[in-house]
Amino acid sequence: MKKIKRILALLLVIFLIAMVFVTLYCAVTGSPYFMASLFVMLGLPLLIYAYMFIYRIVKDKDEK
């Protein structure tokens, strides 16, 4: 299980780095997809953080 988590974390980091470059490319070229890529680049890490935060709260309640 630990190996799977590491692979998934690495894939997520690669995806986020790729999204930075896609957003930069869209900004420079004036693409209409700039706002969508900006939303994904900023929104995805926030959603992941919120999911982890809620999971931690629910997990603590189940243990008590």
Side-chain angles (χ1 to χ4, degrees):
M1 188 67 168
K2 194 173 188 179
K3 200 173 203 180
I4 293 173
K5 286 183 181 180
R6 282 186 180 182
I7 292 171
L8 289 175
L10 181 63
L11 288 174
L12 184 63
V13 168
I14 291 171
F15 177 75
L16 289 174
I17 290 171
M19 281 308 303
V20 169
F21 287 113
V22 168
T23 304
L24 182 64
Y25 174 77
C26 288
V28 169
T29 61
S31 174
Y33 299 113
F34 170 71
M35 290 304 287
S37 65
L38 188 65
F39 175 74
V40 170
M41 188 180 77
L42 297 175
L44 186 64
L46 290 175
L47 287 174
I48 292 171
Y49 176 75
Y51 174 75
M52 289 174 14
F53 182 72
I54 292 170
Y55 175 76
R56 199 175 319 140
I57 291 172
V58 170
K59 182 180 161 190
D60 288 342
K61 285 183 180 178
D62 288 342
E63 291 178 357
K64 289 182 181 180

